[in-house]
Amino acid sequence: MTVDVVFPCLNEERALPWLLGRLPEGYRAIVVDNGSTDNSAEVARSLGATVVTETRRGFGAAAHAGLLAATAPVVAFCDADASMDPRDLPRVVDPVAAGTADLVLGRRRPTTRGAWPLHARIANRALAALMRGATKLDLHDLGPMRAANREALLALDLRDRRSGYPLEQVLRAHAEGWRIVEVDSPYAPRIGRSKVTGTIRGTAIAVLDMSRLLRAQNRATR
């Protein structure tokens, strides 16, 4: 079965050769250039990836543009910074392809002490706790590596175009009765500087975006 993999990308030319060279057979890369000032788009295109340009900045904008460009029945998402190995994609894809889960999230398991900055790990734990409270699901991570059925994802009609996109996906999927599961996914130090978890400011913005979604969810369920 063919799987489309969406890689939201902002200045990742150094990571892309390693990343795209490790895609399993049958997995097609969709690299969404979200305003890169380096040669990310050219590098991705030279390595056989489909390149989509999304001028509106934001993780959600890039991720959704990739989803709209996908044509395979199953779509996976993965960071483009080489922190997660594409060879691990079957961990999240196989349960969806087999029909035993509707949305699979890769729970990050750091391979070294420096893989996941402390401030980002603390923020993720807090948000995961709020997510568990909102969904009553045993989830521990927002899961940057994830997979689901393309048509079902489109039907969720996701609206967030910033850092809240992954959380909105989980909340809306849960509201629709999806089977959401979590699997372990090795997490290594990224190549280059992170735009979100690598900075306190980026982490704070992500927390604000996701907290806003969780507050809206809590109001809706009262």
Side-chain angles (χ1 to χ4, degrees), residues 74-202:
V74 174
V75 176
F77 298 83
C78 184
D79 285 349
D81 57 12
S83 60
M84 308 189 85
D85 191 338
R87 290 185 180 178
D88 293 323
L89 280 164
R91 295 173 184 243
V92 297
V93 168
D94 287 353
V96 176
T100 59
D102 301 307
L103 175 63
V104 182
L105 311 177
R107 181 182 181 180
R108 285 170 285 188
R109 294 294 195 178
T111 58
T112 65
R113 290 187 62 183
W116 202 351
L118 179 61
H119 63 271
R121 193 180 304 195
I122 292 172
N124 184 74
R125 286 179 180 174
L127 287 168
L130 293 172
M131 184 168 61
R132 286 194 297 274
T135 64
K136 311 306 179 188
L137 298 173
D138 189 26
L139 301 175
H140 304 84
D141 191 6
L142 295 170
M145 180 180 281
R146 55 178 59 195
N149 177 274
R150 177 179 60 85
E151 292 187 359
L153 279 175
L154 289 170
L156 291 179
D157 192 26
L158 301 177
R159 300 301 180 89
D160 193 284
R161 295 297 181 264
R162 288 170 34 120
S163 302
Y165 186 88
L167 177 58
E168 183 189 16
Q169 195 177 95
V170 173
L171 295 177
R172 286 184 178 264
H174 174 67
E176 293 296 323
W178 287 25
R179 296 163 297 172
I180 304 173
V181 300
E182 191 175 66
V183 298
D184 287 347
S185 183
Y187 190 63
R190 61 160 288 134
I191 294 177
R193 182 172 178 269
S194 174
K195 292 79 180 171
V196 180
T197 59
T199 67
I200 294 177
R201 179 179 181 275

Side-chain angles (χ1 to χ4, degrees), residues 7-17 19 31-44 54 57 62 80-82 190-195:
F7 294 100
C9 176
L10 178 60
N11 296 331
E12 304 290 3
E13 66 176 0
R14 292 172 52 203
L16 287 172
L19 194 75
V31 174
V32 184
D33 183 10
N34 198 208
S36 297
T37 56
D38 65 3
N39 295 316
S40 291
E42 292 80 0
V43 170
E54 174 54 63
R57 285 289 185 92
D81 57 12
R190 61 160 288 134
I191 294 177
R193 182 172 178 269
S194 174
K195 292 79 180 171

